[in-house]
């Protein structure tokens, strides 16, 4: 589609953005007494549907479905959104490998919907039909399966697949003509690298671990981040301050929860400028990201309410909203 052809789709997105939860609405949800009150609040705000059970899983799943139904109704090239599904696809690949190699609860461990169902992924892994996978998953699937079968090391399996996911996201970003896809890929991979480095420093992981886990991106030098992680958290802080991620360093100094919140907020901040763009696919991609962020935030609140955690605990973990 040309830039002008996106105009009507963007106009519809602008109308839908009005219904996205603001920080004030999230505050109202958080103020609900318990999980049941939260679910009623969500239903009153149009979440779920007439036939949707009043449960967290059902309501959140329906909201994800509604997001993609809306995008498909706009008759845009859906391939532009493929990169947004990679995290779920590769998560399902990990689950399929573990189910096929070690057994597990069939069906309940997969995220839906995705281009390849969890059940089909499990079949592919059981039958070693790796050629049935997309090209960016085949080698990781083979290596991770062999690693788990031969070593029983679930963490090594995760590292192999997670790294492949980051590489796939970065490759999609570099190949895309859409600025928002490039931004999504860069932020997603850079933040994942920072998270990996911080956890590696805290747990004393080796250079070999970091070599396997960290993915190439443009805003970080993997070699320098690796050396910083091996030297400790203070070295990571110093490196982040030197390469444009000073806010991340500041958040890490505050607390682990502040750091995790900063990591998640990076993506929303990266796509917020799309609110002022009317002539590209950017606002559509940003809307999907905003909805995923909204659903993730609501899920976190519901889990906290379900477990009786105090409001202060929830408040310091609330992510920024798109609107």
């Amino acid at each position: 589609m040309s830039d002008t052809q996106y105009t009507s789709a963007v106009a519809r997105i602008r109308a839908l953005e009005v219904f996205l939860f603001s920080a004030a609405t999230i505050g109202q949800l958080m103020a609900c007494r318990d999980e049941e009150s939260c679910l009623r609040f969500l239903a009153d705000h149009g979440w779920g549907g007439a036939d949707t059970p009043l449960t967290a899983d059902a309501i959140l799943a329906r909201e994800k479905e509604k997001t993609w139904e809306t995008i498909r109704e706009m008759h845009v090239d859906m391939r532009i959104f493929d990169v947004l599904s990679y995290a779920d696809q590769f998560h399902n690949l990990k689950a399929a490998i573990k189910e096929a190699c070690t057994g597990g609860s069939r069906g309940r461990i997969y995220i839906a919907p995705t281009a390849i169902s969890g059940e089909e992924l499990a079949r592919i892994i059981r039958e070693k039909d790796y050629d049935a996978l997309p090209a960016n998953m085949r080698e990781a699937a083979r290596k991770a399966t062999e690693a788990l079968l031969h070593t029983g090391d679930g963490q090594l399996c995760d590292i192999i697949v997670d790294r492949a996911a980051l590489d796939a996201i970065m490759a999609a970003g570099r190949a895309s003509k859409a600025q928002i896809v490039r931004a999504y890929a860069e932020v997603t991979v850079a933040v994942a690298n920072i998270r990996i480095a911080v956890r590696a420093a805290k747990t004393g992981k080796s250079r070999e671990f970091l070599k396997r886990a960290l993915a190439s991106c443009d805003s970080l030098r993997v070699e320098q981040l690796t050396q910083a992680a091996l030297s400790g958290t203070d070295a990571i802080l110093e490196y982040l301050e030197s390469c444009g991620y000073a806010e991340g360093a500041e958040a890490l100094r505050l607390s682990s929860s502040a750091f995790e919140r900063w990591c998640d907020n990076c993506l929303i901040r990266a796509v917020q400028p799309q609110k002022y763009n009317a002539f590209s696919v950017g606002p559509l991609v940003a809307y999907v990201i905003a909805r995923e962020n909204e659903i993730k935030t609501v899920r976190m609140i519901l889990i906290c309410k379900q477990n009786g955690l105090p409001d202060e605990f929830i408040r310091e973990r609330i992510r920024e909203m798109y609107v």
Side-chain angles (χ1 to χ4, degrees):
M1 293 177 72
S2 68
D3 288 350
T4 55
Q5 286 175 306
Y6 284 112
T7 306
S8 60
V10 172
R12 185 175 176 193
I13 287 296
R14 292 289 176 258
L16 291 171
E17 285 175 354
V18 175
F19 299 99
L20 290 172
F21 283 1
S22 65
T25 310
I26 289 294
Q28 292 171 352
L29 177 65
M30 194 177 67
C32 291
R33 183 177 65 258
D34 51 27
E35 184 190 23
E36 184 179 350
S37 301
C38 287
L39 293 174
R40 286 198 298 268
F41 178 92
L42 293 171
D44 290 343
H45 282 74
W47 282 47
D51 300 325
T52 306
L54 197 64
T55 66
D57 286 345
I59 288 175
L60 298 178
R62 180 62 191 130
E63 287 305 301
K64 186 170 184 175
E65 290 171 356
K66 283 156 68 172
T67 301
W68 289 110
E69 287 169 3
T70 296
I71 297 299
R72 282 191 291 270
E73 288 168 2
M74 296 180 185
H75 303 294
V76 298
D77 185 353
M78 294 301 295
R79 290 175 296 181
I80 197 78
F81 299 94
D82 285 351
V83 67
L84 302 184
S85 71
Y86 285 178
D88 289 349
Q89 286 269 42
F90 281 86
H91 164 88
N92 284 353
L93 178 60
K94 286 192 294 187
I97 291 169
K98 291 176 180 178
E99 180 178 320
C101 295
T102 65
S105 301
R106 187 180 299 275
R108 291 183 293 174
I109 53 179
Y110 299 114
I111 297 171
T114 51
I116 305 175
S117 70
E119 291 72 18
E120 175 63 6
L121 282 173
R123 181 202 67 77
I124 289 169
I125 299 303
R126 284 196 307 272
E127 299 176 11
K128 298 185 178 180
D129 184 19
Y130 301 119
D131 287 342
L133 292 170
N136 58 16
M137 300 180 82
R138 290 172 196 161
E139 189 62 20
R142 183 181 292 106
K143 287 183 176 179
T145 302
E146 291 174 356
L148 190 57
L149 286 173
H150 295 156
T151 70
D153 189 341
Q155 185 183 66
L156 177 57
C157 170
D158 288 348
I159 293 168
I160 293 168
V161 177
D162 288 344
R163 168 64 184 276
L166 295 178
D167 287 341
I169 290 169
M170 199 69 238
R174 287 172 173 163
S176 180
K177 295 180 181 178
Q179 187 276 332
I180 190 170
V181 174
R182 297 195 298 272
Y184 169 84
E186 179 62 32
V187 170
T188 298
V189 176
V191 168
N193 279 343
I194 294 169
R195 274 186 164 125
I196 291 166
V198 169
R199 291 168 186 169
K202 290 182 177 179
T203 55
K205 296 295 185 182
S206 66
R207 183 180 296 276
E208 181 61 27
F209 170 89
L210 290 160
K211 183 178 179 180
R212 285 182 181 271
L214 297 176
S216 170
C217 65
D218 297 329
S219 59
L220 296 168
R221 292 187 179 275
V222 170
E223 299 82 1
Q224 290 181 245
L225 183 59
T226 296
Q227 189 56 50
L230 293 171
S231 300
T233 302
D234 287 344
I236 293 176
L237 293 171
E238 184 177 342
Y239 178 62
L240 293 180
E241 289 170 340
S242 73
C243 63
Y245 289 100
E247 285 189 16
E250 182 180 350
L252 185 56
R253 284 192 177 95
L254 285 175
S255 67
S256 295
S257 59
F259 172 69
E260 289 298 324
R261 183 170 61 186
W262 172 81
C263 288
D264 286 345
N265 287 343
C266 280
L267 183 55
I268 283 296
R269 291 172 182 173
V271 303
Q272 278 177 334
Q274 296 301 324
K275 288 188 287 187
Y276 311 105
N277 182 351
F279 301 106
S280 78
V281 73
L284 280 66
V285 177
Y287 177 77
V288 174
I289 293 170
R291 285 243 65 202
E292 290 179 346
N293 179 67
E294 180 181 56
I295 292 168
K296 181 178 180 179
T297 299
V298 169
R299 185 187 302 279
M300 186 269 293
I301 293 172
L302 292 174
I303 291 171
C304 289
K305 291 291 184 179
Q306 190 178 60
N307 289 280
L309 296 171
D311 287 351
E312 186 57 37
F313 180 91
I314 304 173
R315 189 173 294 109
E316 65 183 14
R317 288 162 176 79
I318 292 294
R319 276 46 178 165
E320 290 181 12
M321 295 292 104
Y322 182 67
V323 296

